[in-house]
Amino acid sequence: MKWVHDALRGIVIRSVIGIALLTTGQVHMALAQQPSQSFASINLPSNAHLSALGGVNVSLADQNINFFQSNPSLNSDTLNGWASVNHLFYFANIGLSTFSYQYEFERLGAFAFGFQHLSLGDIDGYDAAGNATQSYSSGESALFIGKSHQIQNFRFGINAKGVFSNLAGFRASALLFDLGGSFIHPGRALSIGMVIKNIGFVTNNYSSASSSDVPFDVQVGVSYKPEHMPLRFSVTAYNLVNFNNAALDSLINRDQPSALDEVMRHFVFGAEFIVHRNISLLLGYNFLKHSELKLEQAGGGAGFSIGAKANVRDFSFGFSRAGYVAGGAWQLSLDVNTNRFLKKRRI
């Protein structure tokens, strides 16, 4: 299965950078080709909770400080002082590290801050003739600043993001914004969210011959917990501006999906089983990942994800495992309420 492992590494890097053509992990630069979508690392799940629910969620309000990166309206004053560190263990030494924190300023109110770095490890470089040159350390980083405002049962938010990419010495950057809104039911455990993601422009391209597009998207979701059930359900629709998802199907000469499959490829399903008020088990299903990554002889678990979270006083621990063709990607999260520690220091 080594070829599957290498191919997955190539798919991940290609989807993140968007300007490289990879075959089993080898990079052939194609900066002069047609425009392609770059900076896709900002769409990777920032924490274990999100990853366990399928990787996309824009409706879980007040649950996790990291969720403002998915929808800037999901954080409120209840998360002031919370900090979070997370790491996603991807394939072939690819890893995503993230940090989030929310602080309330005396005059400006609460702001959420985030930083993430995706390390792509060493990538083999080749010249125009296909001869090996040298290996390059490559990666992508992003800075987030989010602000939300609530009016009765509605909440609105905005994120500003600076994204910086480095691929084998070629650098690019972009300035992006998210506009989000959510409705939180006053009497029921029901929340609805919508976000317009990655509005913005490329400030610096990889080269004078390249042209990159930002990963613009519109996402809508709903989360609901029935009153007498220990379950919370989430359904999220994404890629609503892109209805041509069958890229990998054509690459491996697989039959094109039916109309129903094309619709379902825009949905992610998540469920949270509340074992105890401080312990939850998580389950997610991403139809697109399952459809495009499964093979005839492997990949039956692709698109499925599981996880758990536990709250212990001022700490929250989480882990997740998302299934792919060969194995899975693990993610660990640690959230800390810094208010108590900061108060003690002041005393």
Side-chain angles (χ1 to χ4, degrees):
M1 298 297 287
K2 184 180 184 299
W3 70 271
V4 176
H5 186 272
D6 292 340
L8 272 175
R9 183 176 188 269
I11 291 170
V12 170
I13 298 177
R14 183 180 61 187
S15 66
V16 168
I17 301 300
I19 64 166
L21 301 178
L22 294 99
T23 305
T24 65
Q26 296 180 344
V27 177
H28 302 270
M29 302 305 298
L31 296 176
Q33 299 296 326
Q34 67 273 16
S36 56
Q37 188 182 90
S38 301
F39 313 110
S41 65
I42 55 178
N43 291 330
L44 294 175
S46 61
N47 62 96
H49 191 169
L50 179 61
S51 182
L53 293 176
V56 185
N57 189 293
V58 298
S59 57
L60 271 181
D62 305 324
Q63 295 288 317
N64 190 303
I65 177 61
N66 300 283
F67 272 57
F68 89 94
Q69 297 185 24
S70 299
N71 183 346
S73 69
L74 295 184
N75 282 5
S76 69
D77 295 344
T78 60
L79 293 172
N80 287 342
W82 278 89
S84 178
V85 291
N86 315 268
H87 187 77
L88 172 63
F89 298 88
Y90 241 165
F91 301 94
N93 296 322
I94 296 175
L96 176 71
S97 299
T98 64
F99 172 79
S100 299
Y101 179 69
Q102 182 162 302
Y103 183 80
E104 183 173 14
F105 296 90
E106 184 175 352
R107 296 183 179 180
L108 300 177
F111 280 80
F113 301 90
F115 172 78
Q116 72 173 38
H117 176 72
L118 179 74
S119 174
L120 295 173
D122 293 330
I123 300 177
D124 296 332
Y126 296 84
D127 60 20
N131 300 314
T133 55
Q134 65 184 77
S135 297
Y136 301 88
S137 295
S138 303
E140 193 165 285
S141 300
L143 293 170
F144 297 75
I145 300 178
K147 174 67 175 174
S148 65
H149 179 70
Q150 185 159 348
I151 302 176
Q152 295 182 349
N153 300 324
F154 295 89
R155 195 181 299 162
F156 306 92
I158 182 171
N159 283 341
K161 300 182 285 190
V163 192
F164 311 92
S165 179
N166 174 23
L167 177 63
F170 294 90
R171 292 176 172 82
S173 58
L175 179 62
L176 307 175
F177 298 89
D178 300 335
L179 299 177
S182 56
F183 167 77
I184 296 92
H185 195 282
R188 299 181 181 179
L190 170 67
S191 56
I192 302 172
M194 176 179 177
V195 62
I196 304 174
K197 295 180 69 74
N198 304 322
I199 307 168
F201 50 90
V202 177
T203 58
N204 181 52
N205 233 313
Y206 292 97
S207 76
S208 59
S210 66
S211 178
S212 301
D213 291 336
V214 298
F216 177 76
D217 196 11
V218 175
Q219 302 175 358
V220 181
V222 58
S223 296
Y224 177 62
K225 179 188 176 302
E227 185 176 359
H228 300 294
M229 291 182 63
L231 290 173
R232 179 182 290 109
F233 304 96
S234 294
V235 179
T236 308
Y238 74 119
N239 276 347
L240 297 182
V241 296
N242 178 20
F243 288 88
N244 184 20
N245 287 324
L248 291 184
D249 289 323
S250 61
L251 284 177
I252 60 177
N253 297 320
R254 193 160 54 192
D255 293 337
Q256 294 299 301
S258 64
L260 178 60
D261 281 347
E262 272 293 345
V263 172
M264 293 300 297
R265 288 176 183 221
H266 293 272
F267 285 91
V268 174
F269 304 90
E272 179 179 352
F273 178 58
I274 304 172
V275 180
H276 182 269
R277 64 179 182 177
N278 292 324
I279 301 176
S280 297
L281 302 180
L282 308 168
L283 177 67
Y285 177 63
N286 188 310
F287 194 95
L288 176 61
K289 287 183 179 179
H290 179 73
S291 299
E292 292 200 332
L293 294 181
K294 69 178 181 180
L295 301 175
E296 292 183 359
Q297 299 178 346
F304 290 93
S305 54
I306 59 173
K309 67 172 185 176
N311 302 321
V312 182
R313 293 190 178 183
D314 295 310
F315 298 88
S316 180
F317 304 90
F319 81 91
S320 66
R321 182 188 185 278
Y324 289 85
V325 176
W330 294 85
Q331 193 162 18
L332 301 176
S333 296
L334 171 63
D335 302 345
V336 181
N337 184 356
T338 66
N339 291 318
R340 178 175 298 185
F341 307 105
L342 294 177
K343 288 181 180 179
K344 286 182 178 180
R345 287 186 178 183
R346 291 194 187 104
I347 293 174

